[in-house]
Amino acid sequence: MNDRPLASYEPNALLAWVYRRFFDSIEVDEAWTKAVREADSRGTVVYVLRNVSFVDFFALDYLTKRYELPRIKFASEMGLWVLEPLGRGWLNALRPRLPHSDARDLERAVSSGDSAALFLKRPAHLLEGSAGRKGKIEGDQLIRALFDVQRRTPGKRILLVPQVFVWSRSAERRGNNLADSIFGPREWPGNLRSTAQFLVNWRHATLRAGEPVDLTEFLEREGREASDEVLVRRLTYVLLRRLERERRAIVGPALKPSDRLREEVIRSPKLQKVIADMAGEGLAERQVMTARAVAILRGMEAALDMTAIAALDQLVAQAASRMFSAVEVDLAGIERLRELAKEGTLVFLPSHKSHMDYVVFAWILYRNKLPMPVIAAGDNLNFLPLGPVLRRAGAFFIRRSFSGDRLYAAVVDAYVRRLLKDGSSLEFFVEGGRSRTGKLLPPKLGLLSLVVDAALNVPTRTTWFCPVSIGYERFVEEKAFVRELSGGEKQAENVRGLVKSIDLMVGRYGRLSVQFGKPLSLGDVLKDLDANARHEDLAAMTPPRRRAVITRLAYRVMHEINAVAAVTPGSLVATSLLTHDRRGLPHANLLLSCERIARTLSRFDARFSPSLAAPEGGGAIRASALNEAVDMFIRAGHVEAHRVGEDIIYVVPPEARLSLDLAKNTIIHFLVARALIATAMRAAPGPPLSVAAVRDRVLWLSRLFKFEFTFRADAPFERIFDDELRALEDSGEIVRVALKAGETGIVPNGDEGREQFTLYGNLVENSVEGYRVAARGLTVLLRGPLPTKDVVKRAITGGERMFLAGEIRRREAVTRALVENAFASFVDQGYVERSDGKFSLTASYATPTAVATIESRIAAMAPVPR
């Protein structure tokens, strides 16, 4: 360029073809164009890139032209001759470069209000001829030139906008090798390496803009006492940090070689202390114990490989297109997490309803350019050929229980601590295992406690706990779940089961929905417990306060998962079909019932599947989406459609009700509080109940169903109850009436209120009946203690008898999950005790009369004539 006038350049014919062929597919979101346009509206844009790269420059030049953004009139380290027609361009390239010509050209461009591209560094590697300039900041002189322009023209603003092209999703690997020395490291590639990365990944390339630096503000803030040399270093650091933040939010932290990571885990002070305690003073014993710790670590550790992830991406995409009618992702939640990933560490806590969760969630993160997490998986999945595949997809395998093996627990703890300290994203299921019912399981605190401890040891980087709802209209393992719920044994995962599961991938399972709840930091949770708490207090928590924080975090996560669970056409249809009181449901009545439920759910700000929600909002839904869901259930054999004249009447066979119950349970949590109020009210025919009486009954029901449903945990019961009554009044579903002795009662408000309360009560009727089945099962304990498995099996057999005899009317009430939860509740209530794997009646309830009293009290809550 030298002293030639600056002009607007167009690419030569060859480059124009390259531009169209390769750069059209670069992922550009509105955030990038918005950031650049906003900077342009404030002043002169200078695009800042990390290291010299022809590929990055060509891509940026093309995209600025394509989106009509400020065009580049100067590019450091290369000159714009590369864009000219070949003959003239190469002649210009051969002209001798004058000293400081780049700085003068940059100054001329910016002074006239034109944009420029500024590369900060030229990495040192053999093929780039920069070995003699190792570590040198290449943009020093150019940054000084920008300082000069800004100082001469204080009314002109220069905006430095960081630009990050990610050509490879593979994170940098710590440690040097021959390829890095020749071609430059993956993080700081030379032209050859960046070109190779581009050719391999050009269809999946990503461009991000970092937070702009206003040079006027920077100089006013930093430049009063500092020299230009100091200012250059500070500005370069700020720009490189912002560039790295954007890159890290996509590829994650640098990866260490396996042997180095293993060594750091084994050297963990806590693990070394456990080894010393267990081995004693003997050197040989310590070596044996250390060798065992290394063996545990080798069998556990992940081997995340982005090449394997890329291969799985195509397989999962094809499987998803066959299995699901739509994949709906909370894109706003993705962007929120992307911002948090720039400065913090993400710990994903998804719901767990299927083995598909591992695969589809990793696929969603990969497709949306978020860092791939290291995933805690049960060691039951570590079998050939699945185990090695999951390991390369980021899974590390741990036992369901660590009890009895202190060394194993210490190795898991050290491994998790090291991952979090290195900034790796983590993923695990806070429920522990898969839910077989569609409802969330109570949280398990073991692994969460380890992660919280690890997060507290990294105070300089915020750890964000990210609730995720993964929802299915039909569950892939539906048949296995129904078999287990009906009393069948859970089958261990193995190759035979894997082959069978491949057959399931040709089915149609409706919509897959991935929604993100509000991310939580430990500081947020601590403030829940103490509004006056400060972030610094985390470091000095007492053991009781730490336990309280972990427990509150777990239940906040479960609440967030429930709050963002998507309402799908399948969940509405299933709920309508299971909560009516007739043998069949005409099509028009089904639509009306779904609309009623949708209107009610909209009052809870529930998220509706995009394919379900009608444009007018307010709970309005599309009938076409409901029709598709009905067809899905008919094809699955869960619903029978009988044409009678011009009408279609839907009938659910008794054996299919459990399958539909899985779909109903994905949204029941929105309405469970109202369902308990309705159950308490309609179980007492006659005069209206007083508010106090309803409160007492609901309190008893909420304690009974402690292990069945997830309740609000952010306020005392009395306040939550009052909030629900107030909401029911505001929606016109109940009215208060005066009773004797100055008391106030509540009744449903007219026909509409009665319809609503019938719906609410029917939602949990199967749970009431299931607990009654369990209570009847207590009679077998009158003869003495029995193993847990035997008691549950006999209760299920008795429940089948009760259903066929007409004592209960919901076939889905007779399930293993309901009976097991009921027994857990009976232990909590003091009816039963459990010891050495056996149930026995407590002394207060070890009589036929006492057992009958338990059943009769539960039975009184069911709306069936006695």
Side-chain angles (χ1 to χ4, degrees), residues 578-619:
L578 292 180
T579 54
H580 72 89
D581 289 325
R582 295 175 291 277
R583 180 171 298 175
L585 190 64
H587 182 76
N589 293 46
L590 173 68
L591 296 183
L592 289 173
S593 176
C594 289
E595 289 169 359
R596 173 189 293 277
I597 298 169
R599 284 195 304 272
T600 304
L601 292 173
S602 69
R603 298 175 192 143
F604 292 86
D605 294 324
R607 297 186 183 184
F608 285 76
S609 167
S611 55
L612 173 65
E616 57 266 33

Short mmCIF file of all heavy atoms in Angstrom, two decimals, residues 578-619:
data_model
loop_
_atom_site.label_atom_id
_atom_site.label_comp_id
_atom_site.label_asym_id
_atom_site.label_seq_id
_atom_site.Cartn_x
_atom_site.Cartn_y
_atom_site.Cartn_z
N LEU A 578 -56.96 -38.56 30.61
CA LEU A 578 -56.88 -39.28 31.89
C LEU A 578 -57.70 -38.64 33.00
O LEU A 578 -57.88 -39.26 34.05
CB LEU A 578 -55.42 -39.38 32.34
CG LEU A 578 -54.50 -40.27 31.50
CD1 LEU A 578 -53.09 -40.25 32.06
CD2 LEU A 578 -55.01 -41.70 31.42
N THR A 579 -58.19 -37.42 32.79
CA THR A 579 -58.86 -36.73 33.91
C THR A 579 -60.36 -36.57 33.70
O THR A 579 -61.02 -35.95 34.54
CB THR A 579 -58.24 -35.33 34.13
OG1 THR A 579 -58.25 -34.61 32.90
CG2 THR A 579 -56.81 -35.46 34.63
N HIS A 580 -60.91 -37.10 32.62
CA HIS A 580 -62.36 -37.04 32.48
C HIS A 580 -62.98 -38.26 33.15
O HIS A 580 -62.30 -39.26 33.42
CB HIS A 580 -62.77 -36.95 31.00
CG HIS A 580 -62.59 -38.22 30.24
ND1 HIS A 580 -63.56 -39.19 30.16
CD2 HIS A 580 -61.53 -38.67 29.52
CE1 HIS A 580 -63.12 -40.19 29.42
NE2 HIS A 580 -61.90 -39.91 29.02
N ASP A 581 -64.26 -38.20 33.43
CA ASP A 581 -64.92 -39.24 34.22
C ASP A 581 -65.81 -40.14 33.38
O ASP A 581 -66.60 -40.91 33.94
CB ASP A 581 -65.75 -38.61 35.35
CG ASP A 581 -64.88 -37.99 36.43
OD1 ASP A 581 -63.81 -38.57 36.71
OD2 ASP A 581 -65.25 -36.94 36.97
N ARG A 582 -65.70 -40.04 32.07
CA ARG A 582 -66.55 -40.87 31.21
C ARG A 582 -65.74 -41.96 30.56
O ARG A 582 -64.51 -41.95 30.58
CB ARG A 582 -67.22 -39.98 30.15
CG ARG A 582 -68.19 -38.96 30.76
CD ARG A 582 -68.74 -38.01 29.70
NE ARG A 582 -67.71 -37.11 29.18
CZ ARG A 582 -67.34 -35.99 29.78
NH1 ARG A 582 -67.89 -35.63 30.93
NH2 ARG A 582 -66.40 -35.22 29.25
N ARG A 583 -66.47 -42.91 29.92
CA ARG A 583 -65.77 -44.03 29.27
C ARG A 583 -64.97 -43.55 28.07
O ARG A 583 -63.86 -44.00 27.84
CB ARG A 583 -66.79 -45.08 28.83
CG ARG A 583 -66.18 -46.29 28.15
CD ARG A 583 -67.19 -47.37 27.92
NE ARG A 583 -67.72 -47.85 29.19
CZ ARG A 583 -68.70 -48.74 29.31
NH1 ARG A 583 -69.30 -49.21 28.22
NH2 ARG A 583 -69.11 -49.13 30.49
N GLY A 584 -65.52 -42.62 27.32
CA GLY A 584 -64.84 -42.08 26.15
C GLY A 584 -64.98 -40.57 26.10
O GLY A 584 -65.84 -39.99 26.78
N LEU A 585 -64.15 -39.94 25.29
CA LEU A 585 -64.15 -38.48 25.21
C LEU A 585 -64.31 -38.07 23.75
O LEU A 585 -63.43 -38.35 22.92
CB LEU A 585 -62.83 -37.93 25.78
CG LEU A 585 -62.75 -36.42 25.99
CD1 LEU A 585 -63.76 -35.97 27.04
CD2 LEU A 585 -61.34 -36.01 26.42
N PRO A 586 -65.44 -37.42 23.39
CA PRO A 586 -65.61 -36.96 22.01
C PRO A 586 -64.53 -35.95 21.63
O PRO A 586 -63.98 -35.24 22.48
CB PRO A 586 -67.00 -36.31 22.05
CG PRO A 586 -67.69 -36.93 23.21
CD PRO A 586 -66.61 -37.18 24.23
N HIS A 587 -64.26 -35.87 20.34
CA HIS A 587 -63.18 -35.02 19.84
C HIS A 587 -63.38 -33.56 20.27
O HIS A 587 -62.43 -32.91 20.72
CB HIS A 587 -63.11 -35.12 18.32
CG HIS A 587 -62.01 -34.31 17.72
ND1 HIS A 587 -60.69 -34.69 17.76
CD2 HIS A 587 -62.03 -33.10 17.07
CE1 HIS A 587 -59.95 -33.77 17.17
NE2 HIS A 587 -60.73 -32.80 16.74
N ALA A 588 -64.61 -33.06 20.13
CA ALA A 588 -64.86 -31.65 20.49
C ALA A 588 -64.61 -31.42 21.98
O ALA A 588 -64.04 -30.39 22.37
CB ALA A 588 -66.29 -31.27 20.13
N ASN A 589 -65.00 -32.38 22.82
CA ASN A 589 -64.77 -32.24 24.26
C ASN A 589 -63.28 -32.31 24.59
O ASN A 589 -62.81 -31.64 25.51
CB ASN A 589 -65.51 -33.35 25.02
CG ASN A 589 -67.02 -33.21 24.93
OD1 ASN A 589 -67.54 -32.98 23.85
ND2 ASN A 589 -67.71 -33.36 26.04
N LEU A 590 -62.55 -33.12 23.83
CA LEU A 590 -61.10 -33.18 24.04
C LEU A 590 -60.46 -31.82 23.78
O LEU A 590 -59.64 -31.36 24.57
CB LEU A 590 -60.48 -34.25 23.12
CG LEU A 590 -58.95 -34.30 23.12
CD1 LEU A 590 -58.42 -34.80 24.46
CD2 LEU A 590 -58.44 -35.19 21.99
N LEU A 591 -60.87 -31.19 22.67
CA LEU A 591 -60.30 -29.88 22.35
C LEU A 591 -60.65 -28.86 23.43
O LEU A 591 -59.80 -28.06 23.84
CB LEU A 591 -60.80 -29.40 20.99
CG LEU A 591 -60.38 -30.24 19.77
CD1 LEU A 591 -60.89 -29.60 18.49
CD2 LEU A 591 -58.87 -30.42 19.71
N LEU A 592 -61.89 -28.89 23.90
CA LEU A 592 -62.32 -27.95 24.94
C LEU A 592 -61.53 -28.18 26.24
O LEU A 592 -61.13 -27.23 26.92
CB LEU A 592 -63.82 -28.08 25.20
CG LEU A 592 -64.74 -27.56 24.09
CD1 LEU A 592 -66.20 -27.91 24.41
CD2 LEU A 592 -64.58 -26.05 23.93
N SER A 593 -61.33 -29.45 26.58
CA SER A 593 -60.59 -29.77 27.80
C SER A 593 -59.14 -29.29 27.69
O SER A 593 -58.60 -28.71 28.65
CB SER A 593 -60.63 -31.28 28.05
OG SER A 593 -59.86 -31.62 29.18
N CYS A 594 -58.53 -29.52 26.54
CA CYS A 594 -57.14 -29.06 26.35
C CYS A 594 -57.06 -27.54 26.44
O CYS A 594 -56.11 -26.99 27.03
CB CYS A 594 -56.61 -29.54 24.99
SG CYS A 594 -56.29 -31.32 24.90
N GLU A 595 -58.04 -26.86 25.88
CA GLU A 595 -58.04 -25.39 25.94
C GLU A 595 -58.21 -24.91 27.37
O GLU A 595 -57.57 -23.93 27.80
CB GLU A 595 -59.16 -24.85 25.06
CG GLU A 595 -58.89 -25.02 23.56
CD GLU A 595 -60.10 -24.73 22.71
OE1 GLU A 595 -61.18 -24.40 23.28
OE2 GLU A 595 -60.01 -24.83 21.46
N ARG A 596 -59.03 -25.60 28.15
CA ARG A 596 -59.23 -25.23 29.56
C ARG A 596 -57.92 -25.38 30.33
O ARG A 596 -57.51 -24.48 31.08
CB ARG A 596 -60.30 -26.13 30.18
CG ARG A 596 -60.47 -25.93 31.70
CD ARG A 596 -61.38 -26.99 32.28
NE ARG A 596 -62.74 -26.81 31.78
CZ ARG A 596 -63.63 -25.97 32.30
NH1 ARG A 596 -63.29 -25.23 33.35
NH2 ARG A 596 -64.84 -25.87 31.79
N ILE A 597 -57.23 -26.51 30.14
CA ILE A 597 -55.97 -26.74 30.85
C ILE A 597 -54.92 -25.72 30.41
O ILE A 597 -54.17 -25.19 31.25
CB ILE A 597 -55.48 -28.18 30.58
CG1 ILE A 597 -56.49 -29.20 31.12
CG2 ILE A 597 -54.12 -28.40 31.23
CD1 ILE A 597 -56.23 -30.62 30.67
N ALA A 598 -54.89 -25.43 29.10
CA ALA A 598 -53.90 -24.47 28.60
C ALA A 598 -54.13 -23.08 29.19
O ALA A 598 -53.18 -22.38 29.56
CB ALA A 598 -53.95 -24.42 27.08
N ARG A 599 -55.39 -22.66 29.28
CA ARG A 599 -55.68 -21.34 29.87
C ARG A 599 -55.21 -21.30 31.32
O ARG A 599 -54.66 -20.29 31.78
CB ARG A 599 -57.18 -21.04 29.79
CG ARG A 599 -57.67 -20.64 28.41
CD ARG A 599 -59.06 -20.01 28.50
NE ARG A 599 -60.02 -20.87 29.15
CZ ARG A 599 -60.77 -21.78 28.53
NH1 ARG A 599 -60.64 -21.95 27.21
NH2 ARG A 599 -61.65 -22.51 29.19
N THR A 600 -55.45 -22.39 32.03
CA THR A 600 -55.03 -22.44 33.43
C THR A 600 -53.51 -22.39 33.55
O THR A 600 -52.96 -21.65 34.38
CB THR A 600 -55.56 -23.74 34.09
OG1 THR A 600 -56.99 -23.79 33.94
CG2 THR A 600 -55.21 -23.77 35.57
N LEU A 601 -52.82 -23.14 32.71
CA LEU A 601 -51.36 -23.16 32.76
C LEU A 601 -50.76 -21.82 32.38
O LEU A 601 -49.69 -21.44 32.88
CB LEU A 601 -50.81 -24.26 31.83
CG LEU A 601 -51.10 -25.70 32.26
CD1 LEU A 601 -50.66 -26.67 31.18
CD2 LEU A 601 -50.40 -26.02 33.58
N SER A 602 -51.43 -21.09 31.51
CA SER A 602 -50.90 -19.78 31.11
C SER A 602 -50.84 -18.82 32.29
O SER A 602 -50.02 -17.89 32.30
CB SER A 602 -51.74 -19.18 29.98
OG SER A 602 -53.03 -18.80 30.45
N ARG A 603 -51.70 -19.03 33.30
CA ARG A 603 -51.65 -18.19 34.50
C ARG A 603 -50.40 -18.43 35.33
O ARG A 603 -50.04 -17.62 36.18
CB ARG A 603 -52.89 -18.44 35.36
CG ARG A 603 -54.21 -18.10 34.66
CD ARG A 603 -55.40 -18.49 35.50
NE ARG A 603 -56.64 -18.42 34.73
CZ ARG A 603 -57.65 -19.26 34.86
NH1 ARG A 603 -57.58 -20.23 35.77
NH2 ARG A 603 -58.73 -19.14 34.12
N PHE A 604 -49.74 -19.57 35.09
CA PHE A 604 -48.49 -19.88 35.79
C PHE A 604 -47.28 -19.49 34.95
O PHE A 604 -46.15 -19.86 35.28
CB PHE A 604 -48.43 -21.38 36.10
CG PHE A 604 -49.43 -21.84 37.11
CD1 PHE A 604 -50.72 -22.18 36.74
CD2 PHE A 604 -49.11 -21.92 38.45
CE1 PHE A 604 -51.66 -22.60 37.66
CE2 PHE A 604 -50.03 -22.34 39.39
CZ PHE A 604 -51.32 -22.68 38.99
N ASP A 605 -47.51 -18.75 33.86
CA ASP A 605 -46.43 -18.37 32.94
C ASP A 605 -45.70 -19.60 32.42
O ASP A 605 -44.48 -19.57 32.19
CB ASP A 605 -45.44 -17.42 33.61
CG ASP A 605 -46.08 -16.08 33.96
OD1 ASP A 605 -46.93 -15.62 33.18
OD2 ASP A 605 -45.74 -15.51 35.01
N ALA A 606 -46.44 -20.68 32.22
CA ALA A 606 -45.83 -21.89 31.69
C ALA A 606 -45.37 -21.65 30.25
O ALA A 606 -45.99 -20.88 29.51
CB ALA A 606 -46.83 -23.05 31.73
N ARG A 607 -44.28 -22.31 29.88
CA ARG A 607 -43.78 -22.21 28.51
C ARG A 607 -44.51 -23.20 27.63
O ARG A 607 -44.55 -24.40 27.94
CB ARG A 607 -42.28 -22.49 28.47
CG ARG A 607 -41.45 -21.49 29.25
CD ARG A 607 -39.96 -21.74 29.05
NE ARG A 607 -39.16 -20.84 29.86
CZ ARG A 607 -37.84 -20.79 29.81
NH1 ARG A 607 -37.17 -21.60 29.00
NH2 ARG A 607 -37.17 -19.93 30.58
N PHE A 608 -45.05 -22.73 26.53
CA PHE A 608 -45.76 -23.59 25.61
C PHE A 608 -44.86 -23.94 24.43
O PHE A 608 -44.09 -23.10 23.95
CB PHE A 608 -47.03 -22.91 25.10
CG PHE A 608 -48.15 -22.88 26.10
CD1 PHE A 608 -48.13 -22.00 27.17
CD2 PHE A 608 -49.20 -23.76 26.00
CE1 PHE A 608 -49.14 -21.99 28.11
CE2 PHE A 608 -50.23 -23.76 26.93
CZ PHE A 608 -50.20 -22.87 27.99
N SER A 609 -44.96 -25.17 23.99
CA SER A 609 -44.25 -25.58 22.79
C SER A 609 -44.59 -24.62 21.66
O SER A 609 -45.75 -24.27 21.47
CB SER A 609 -44.67 -27.01 22.41
OG SER A 609 -44.25 -27.34 21.13
N PRO A 610 -43.58 -24.14 20.89
CA PRO A 610 -43.87 -23.20 19.79
C PRO A 610 -44.90 -23.71 18.81
O PRO A 610 -45.68 -22.94 18.26
CB PRO A 610 -42.49 -23.03 19.11
CG PRO A 610 -41.51 -23.33 20.18
CD PRO A 610 -42.14 -24.40 21.04
N SER A 611 -44.93 -25.02 18.59
CA SER A 611 -45.89 -25.58 17.65
C SER A 611 -47.29 -25.63 18.24
O SER A 611 -48.28 -25.80 17.51
CB SER A 611 -45.47 -26.99 17.24
OG SER A 611 -45.29 -27.79 18.40
N LEU A 612 -47.41 -25.47 19.57
CA LEU A 612 -48.71 -25.54 20.24
C LEU A 612 -49.34 -24.17 20.43
O LEU A 612 -50.54 -23.98 20.24
CB LEU A 612 -48.54 -26.23 21.60
CG LEU A 612 -49.76 -26.25 22.53
CD1 LEU A 612 -50.89 -27.07 21.92
CD2 LEU A 612 -49.38 -26.81 23.89
N ALA A 613 -48.54 -23.19 20.83
CA ALA A 613 -49.08 -21.87 21.18
C ALA A 613 -49.58 -21.14 19.95
O ALA A 613 -48.90 -21.05 18.94
CB ALA A 613 -47.99 -21.05 21.87
N ALA A 614 -50.80 -20.61 20.06
CA ALA A 614 -51.37 -19.80 18.99
C ALA A 614 -50.82 -18.38 19.09
O ALA A 614 -50.42 -17.93 20.17
CB ALA A 614 -52.90 -19.79 19.09
N PRO A 615 -50.79 -17.65 17.97
CA PRO A 615 -50.19 -16.31 17.97
C PRO A 615 -50.82 -15.34 18.96
O PRO A 615 -50.13 -14.46 19.49
CB PRO A 615 -50.40 -15.83 16.53
CG PRO A 615 -50.58 -17.07 15.72
CD PRO A 615 -51.24 -18.05 16.63
N GLU A 616 -52.12 -15.49 19.24
CA GLU A 616 -52.78 -14.52 20.11
C GLU A 616 -52.38 -14.66 21.57
O GLU A 616 -52.65 -13.78 22.39
CB GLU A 616 -54.30 -14.61 19.98
CG GLU A 616 -54.89 -15.99 20.27
CD GLU A 616 -55.08 -16.81 19.01
OE1 GLU A 616 -54.26 -16.66 18.08
OE2 GLU A 616 -56.05 -17.59 18.95
N GLY A 617 -51.72 -15.78 21.96
CA GLY A 617 -51.23 -15.94 23.33
C GLY A 617 -52.36 -16.14 24.33
O GLY A 617 -53.48 -16.52 23.97
N GLY A 618 -52.08 -15.92 25.61
CA GLY A 618 -53.09 -16.05 26.65
C GLY A 618 -53.57 -17.46 26.86
O GLY A 618 -54.67 -17.70 27.36
N GLY A 619 -52.76 -18.45 26.47
CA GLY A 619 -53.17 -19.85 26.61
C GLY A 619 -53.88 -20.39 25.40
O GLY A 619 -54.28 -21.56 25.40
#
